Amino acid sequence: MSANHRTGATAPADVPERGVAHRRHAAVGGVLALLMAASGALAGPAAARGADHADHADRVTVAAAPAGATAGELLEVRLRELRPTQPAIGHDQIHYKLGRYAGAKDEARGNPNKRFDDWCEANGQAEAASAGPGATLADPATFRCTLALGEETADSVAAMKTVVIGPGGSLHLTDGHHTLTSFLETPDGGPDTAVRLRVSDNLSHLSTDAFWREMRARDLVWLQAPDGSTLSPADLPRGLGLARLADDPYRSLVYFTRGIGYTPPSDAPEYLEFLWGRWLRDRIDLDPSELRDPAAYLEVIEEASRAMAAAPGDTEIAPGRTADRLGRLAEWNDGKRATGGEWAKLSVPIDDARPGKLAYAVDSRARVPAAPACTRTVTGRHNGPLHAATGVLCLDAATVRGPVVVGAGASLLVRGAEISGPVSAVAARTVEICGATLNGPLSVVGTRDRLTLAGHGCTPNDLRGPVAAVGNAGG
């Protein structure tokens, strides 16, 4: 059950993000057997006290180290440890969550904020039971889930996100990129947020090449960029976050058509939403300006969802995948009028007591400062100094070995990059650093328009050297 069942809230419960419900349910029996077999760790005296998260670490079913975890075990991780198995997410899906997490409308209806429901579900503990004014995702002891640790059910375990253990004990997230990115981006979460994942397999014994061959064979990695180009595993982002995972607007579009043009079947294939998104990309042009206006965005969603429902059931959406196999609804909005069903819920504006998902998403994205257009973009590896004398230098998921210098009137945008060397800017126009790892000092003095190192929509940085910021405009 989701929080929405308590009060009839507008948004339906989220379902598995990449269509792995069938494999989850197939493994539930084995997982629960493991849970029961490990009852000494899970259901001792601490469990009898209810959902007391202070004893959380003592009751996690997990091997001593990730490399020793076996399929079905529940492994506690920190978000910073996870490696994506896809290059992109739908940023507007994240913005729906961030908008709702930041609001107080759930609490106004007497419910815990949705972020606590989402965390409890991801942790195998159903929905949130209570969360006081000081509750924070960073400290699970400050809120309580419906199910205590050790009381997991088949359904609660099935709802958990999944991870594959790779070479060297690396943690490869195979479901949950959107949910866990939302936890990472919300102010009371961050990269050190802890959550349990269900281990779907341990392939740590394989070489790197053999590991990725196996991941491909099992359809557990998506190697297509939003523009349709093919990537290699080496091109995958190093971590979660809006600044690291590219934006696929068609992935967001499909998310908003859920329950209107399609609904994920119980045996949904992997990457269901990406498959629908690729099909829609050939039929619908997305104008970025439309995605900033709720009314225009709704028109695009209606066009997309009607195209999905109107497609004959045997239409091949992807090789070997028909529209019916991917959950096509036989009738638009599941046969309901436009004044009802999921369409009516999606259409509710932001000033309503129960806004729709789209309203939250558009409102949240609008609060992210507009970035200047890049005049030079660096990706991949760069050895040596970088100097921005004019224009806008963008470091997009780049690995830079050397100093970065920004001159007066120039701008620097860093998204998901790793820089080993000093970064300095004096009298720059805009300096924005999000989702970056800086192994060196950062000095920003006298920025004219804006300095952004944190805030709404800015993925947390890992700044490992001294930081000096003096006399800068903006936040």
Side-chain angles (χ1 to χ4, degrees):
M1 176 187 287
S2 78
N4 303 303
H5 290 90
R6 300 190 190 98
T7 60
T10 60
D14 290 334
V15 300
E17 294 173 2
R18 282 172 32 186
V20 296
H22 61 300
R23 279 211 307 278
R24 285 176 170 172
H25 285 288
V28 161
V31 171
L32 289 179
L34 283 169
L35 289 171
M36 297 305 102
S39 59
L42 283 169
R49 296 196 296 268
D52 179 2
H53 292 274
D55 296 313
H56 185 196
D58 295 334
R59 289 181 279 125
V60 175
T61 310
V62 63
T70 59
E73 288 189 309
L74 308 184
L75 178 67
E76 183 175 80
V77 304
R78 303 284 174 175
L79 298 184
R80 67 166 67 252
E81 299 169 339
L82 298 172
R83 299 186 184 184
T85 53
Q86 61 193 53
I89 54 176
H91 281 203
D92 283 345
Q93 182 173 338
I94 305 300
H95 278 294
Y96 151 59
K97 292 293 184 71
L98 294 182
R100 188 163 176 182
Y101 290 179
K105 294 187 177 183
D106 291 331
E107 294 90 332
R109 297 195 301 275
N111 297 329
N113 186 276
K114 182 170 173 57
R115 68 189 188 275
F116 300 112
D117 277 322
D118 288 350
W119 188 93
C120 289
E121 180 182 61
N123 211 51
Q125 298 177 260
E127 62 185 13
S130 61
T136 170
L137 288 184
D139 183 4
T142 61
F143 59 93
R144 188 168 60 87
C145 300
T146 302
L147 296 177
L149 290 165
E151 297 177 356
E152 293 85 353
T153 66
D155 286 340
S156 74
V157 170
M160 297 178 72
K161 309 309 179 186
T162 52
V163 66
V164 171
I165 313 299
S170 53
L171 302 173
H172 298 266
L173 185 66
T174 50
D175 180 43
H177 291 75
H178 289 80
T179 294
L180 302 189
T181 290
S182 300
F183 296 164
L184 185 142
E185 296 282 348
T186 197
D188 68 331
D192 287 318
T193 300
V195 67
R196 294 188 304 175
L197 302 177
R198 180 162 50 81
V199 177
S200 58
D201 208 346
N202 188 329
L203 303 178
S204 60
H205 61 285
L206 297 178
S207 68
T208 298
D209 288 344
F211 171 77
W212 287 115
R213 283 196 300 271
E214 185 67 16
M215 293 289 281
R216 286 192 182 101
R218 298 188 189 189
D219 202 18
L220 290 176
V221 59
W222 180 263
L223 293 174
Q224 288 192 14
D227 64 5
S229 60
T230 300
L231 304 174
S232 73
D235 297 319
L236 291 171
R238 289 184 288 264
L240 299 175
L242 290 170
R244 300 186 184 100
L245 288 153
D247 183 19
D248 185 343
Y250 287 91
R251 176 62 178 76
S252 294
L253 180 61
V254 174
Y255 175 70
F256 292 129
T257 66
R258 187 177 295 176
I260 304 169
Y262 86 105
T263 188
S266 60
D267 61 345
E270 298 287 354
Y271 305 106
L272 179 149
E273 291 88 352
F274 281 111
L275 297 176
W276 273 118
R278 188 169 59 186
W279 184 78
L280 289 172
R281 187 176 285 108
D282 295 333
R283 290 158 178 80
I284 295 177
D285 291 327
L286 290 182
D287 182 340
S289 65
E290 293 177 322
L291 307 184
R292 293 190 291 269
D293 176 72
Y297 208 151
L298 272 174
E299 290 181 8
V300 175
I301 295 169
E302 180 174 4
E303 180 184 1
S305 57
R306 288 190 180 276
M308 296 163 81
D314 60 357
T315 301
E316 191 173 68
I317 303 301
R321 309 291 191 184
T322 65
D324 280 349
R325 177 77 174 84
L326 297 184
R328 177 193 72 98
L329 289 174
E331 296 182 80
W332 181 79
N333 198 29
D334 205 19
K336 300 177 178 65
R337 296 180 181 180
T339 53
E342 293 304 318
W343 176 256
K345 296 175 183 179
L346 183 72
S347 308
V348 178
I350 193 66
D351 56 0
D352 192 89
R354 297 178 178 176
K357 291 180 178 179
L358 181 63
Y360 274 122
V362 173
D363 182 70
S364 173
R365 188 184 276 271
R367 288 188 275 131
V368 178
C374 303
T375 57
R376 179 189 179 192
T377 300
V378 176
T379 61
R381 293 186 176 276
H382 178 91
N383 294 319
L386 284 171
H387 183 210
T390 60
V392 181
L393 172 63
C394 293
L395 307 183
D396 190 359
T399 300
V400 178
R401 299 289 184 265
V404 179
V405 179
V406 185
S411 295
L412 174 68
L413 302 181
V414 180
R415 300 185 182 96
E418 180 178 342
I419 304 172
S420 294
V423 177
S424 61
V426 178
R429 295 194 65 85
T430 296
V431 174
E432 179 182 296
I433 302 175
C434 299
T437 300
L438 269 58
N439 297 298
L442 171 65
S443 175
V444 185
V445 178
T447 300
R448 300 176 187 178
D449 292 343
R450 175 169 59 88
L451 167 64
T452 299
L453 300 177
H456 186 77
C458 181
T459 302
N461 293 302
D462 185 2
L463 306 180
R464 301 175 179 179
V467 176
V470 180
N472 297 289

